[in-house]
Amino acid sequence: MKLTADAKGVFPIAPTPFFDDGAVDHASIDRMMDFYQACGATGLTVLGQLGEAPKLDFKESLDIASQVIGKAGGMPIVVGVSAPGFASMRSLTREVMDRGAAGVMIAPPNTLRTDDQIVTYYHQAVEAIGDDVPFVLQDYPLTFSVQMAPSVIRRIVTDLASCVMLKHEDWPGLEKISALRRFEAEGAMRHISILCGNNGLFLDYEMARGADGANTGYCFPDMLCDFVKWVGEGKTEAAHDLFDAHLPLLRYEQQPGVGLAVRKYVMMRRGILSSAAQRRPGGALTPAAKAEVDHLLTRLGKHDPRAKNLV
């Protein structure tokens, strides 16, 4: 099942589980997949920005993607294939698509500066991987230093039919969502799915602006699933109450440089990962940071029982 422009819901960004020695923890991948399916995720992205993909060799990347696809049970799997060159991007794309991936995600290299350079890059990427492969356009200027105006996104969507989803991570970015949906309403751009990242930090109002859901890796993806579902059911205030209870932990986990360590630590405490380890180079939480996260979990547990009685 290939990814389409009608995709909605929550596509968590899966972390890559490692043992303390840096080896890939395949048992935790299976456990993680069971968890994502049980919590209501509508899809999944692997080998994303916080999936530590640059620390994996090609075989490891392919093995992890293949394991996830094999455990997906029909859930669409998007694989991050961003790479310095198109040869490795092409190779990984064709391999994962042959194994049943729904599509791929492509981030812009940080060398792009002008609008024409950005559009040309995505033309070349599609030429490399094939126009039969649905792709997600990742717009994350805070990390990649590439600024995509709504008009640039419209050019990419108009020129390249295989662009079916925007991973929206601009900040501030609410007006960008409104601009893109306005293009669609005016007939100036075809419809695409918009799923939002930034740890879900602005999902409460991104949905109201026209986003279709979340594509991020917060340590409580089940909360994101509930939020998107409740908004769709018209339970807006209940959804905001739940979101507000998680906001302090969302904010803490969104810290640059420490966010993945927080995410893995909480997912370990939830029994999903066997270790919070990152592959080197990578950091770990200090005792003081762990105490802060534990305090946030204790406070969250007063409002959401999923944060209680963690291991």
Side-chain angles (χ1 to χ4, degrees), residues 11 26 48 78 93 98 100 104 131 152 182 204 208 231 268 270 287 290 292 305 307:
F11 281 54
H26 290 280
V78 176
T93 296
D98 286 347
V104 300
D131 60 10
V152 173
R182 186 166 56 250
D204 48 350
V231 169
M268 180 186 69
R270 299 191 73 187
K290 285 182 181 179
E292 290 163 352

Side-chain angles (χ1 to χ4, degrees), residues 10-309:
V10 178
F11 281 54
I13 301 289
T16 301
F18 295 107
F19 291 111
D20 291 345
D21 64 1
V24 176
D25 179 1
H26 290 280
S28 284
I29 293 176
D30 283 346
R31 196 161 51 246
M32 184 173 65
M33 290 303 296
D34 291 340
F35 167 76
Y36 285 135
Q37 289 172 327
C39 78
T42 50
L44 190 70
T45 300
V46 294
L47 308 183
Q49 177 68 16
L50 290 181
E52 300 181 74
K55 303 175 187 178
L56 302 168
D57 63 32
F58 183 85
K59 183 179 184 303
E60 288 175 322
S61 297
L62 185 56
D63 286 348
I64 290 167
S66 299
Q67 183 179 353
V68 168
I69 293 166
K71 287 282 292 183
M75 179 190 297
I77 304 299
V78 176
V79 180
V81 296
S82 304
F86 290 128
S88 55
M89 182 187 293
R90 179 191 304 113
S91 297
L92 184 56
T93 296
R94 301 317 303 187
E95 291 285 357
V96 299
M97 293 304 294
D98 286 347
R99 284 161 172 76
V104 300
M105 182 168 67
I106 304 174
N110 61 11
T111 54
L112 305 180
R113 288 294 175 265
T114 69
D115 293 351
D116 286 345
Q117 287 174 343
I118 296 168
V119 175
T120 298
Y121 176 82
Y122 280 96
H123 274 267
Q124 293 175 344
V126 168
E127 182 180 349
I129 67 174
D131 60 10
D132 59 327
V133 178
F135 78 91
V136 178
L137 172 64
Q138 186 171 10
D139 179 20
Y140 196 4
L142 277 73
T143 292
F144 302 127
S145 302
V146 176
Q147 297 288 339
M148 294 190 204
S151 58
V152 173
I153 295 171
R154 178 173 60 180
R155 286 175 61 185
I156 294 169
V157 171
T158 300
D159 291 355
L160 302 170
S162 55
C163 181
V164 297
M165 180 186 291
L166 172 69
K167 184 180 183 189
H168 169 75
E169 298 190 272
D170 205 347
W171 178 357
L174 294 175
E175 298 301 334
K176 179 178 281 189
I177 297 173
S178 292
L180 292 171
R181 291 309 190 207
R182 186 166 56 250
F183 289 157
E184 293 180 14
E186 296 168 349
M189 188 182 87
R190 64 179 169 84
H191 174 77
I192 60 168
S193 173
I194 299 178
L195 299 186
C196 299
N198 275 322
N199 212 38
L201 199 58
F202 303 101
L203 188 63
D204 48 350
Y205 291 105
E206 287 167 337
M207 294 285 294
R209 293 293 189 111
D212 297 299
N215 183 203
T216 194
Y218 178 50
C219 57
F220 282 87
D222 31 356
M223 182 281 286
L224 300 176
C225 292
D226 287 345
F227 180 87
V228 172
K229 179 184 177 197
W230 291 356
V231 169
E233 293 173 347
K235 302 174 183 175
T236 306
E237 290 305 308
H240 277 263
D241 288 342
L242 176 63
F243 183 89
D244 290 350
H246 280 259
L247 191 53
L249 183 58
L250 277 168
R251 180 193 63 183
Y252 197 97
E253 191 184 301
Q254 182 60 5
Q255 295 178 91
V258 74
L260 182 59
V262 175
R263 182 174 303 166
K264 283 193 160 186
Y265 173 69
V266 175
M267 292 181 75
M268 180 186 69
R269 290 205 56 195
R270 299 191 73 187
I272 302 165
L273 305 181
S274 62
S275 170
Q278 298 178 53
R279 180 173 279 186
R280 294 180 180 178
L285 295 182
T286 64
K290 285 182 181 179
E292 290 163 352
V293 174
D294 291 343
H295 181 241
L296 287 168
L297 288 169
T298 299
R299 291 184 58 81
L300 177 58
K302 298 175 183 178
H303 306 280
D304 189 335
R306 289 172 290 206
K308 289 183 178 180
N309 303 318

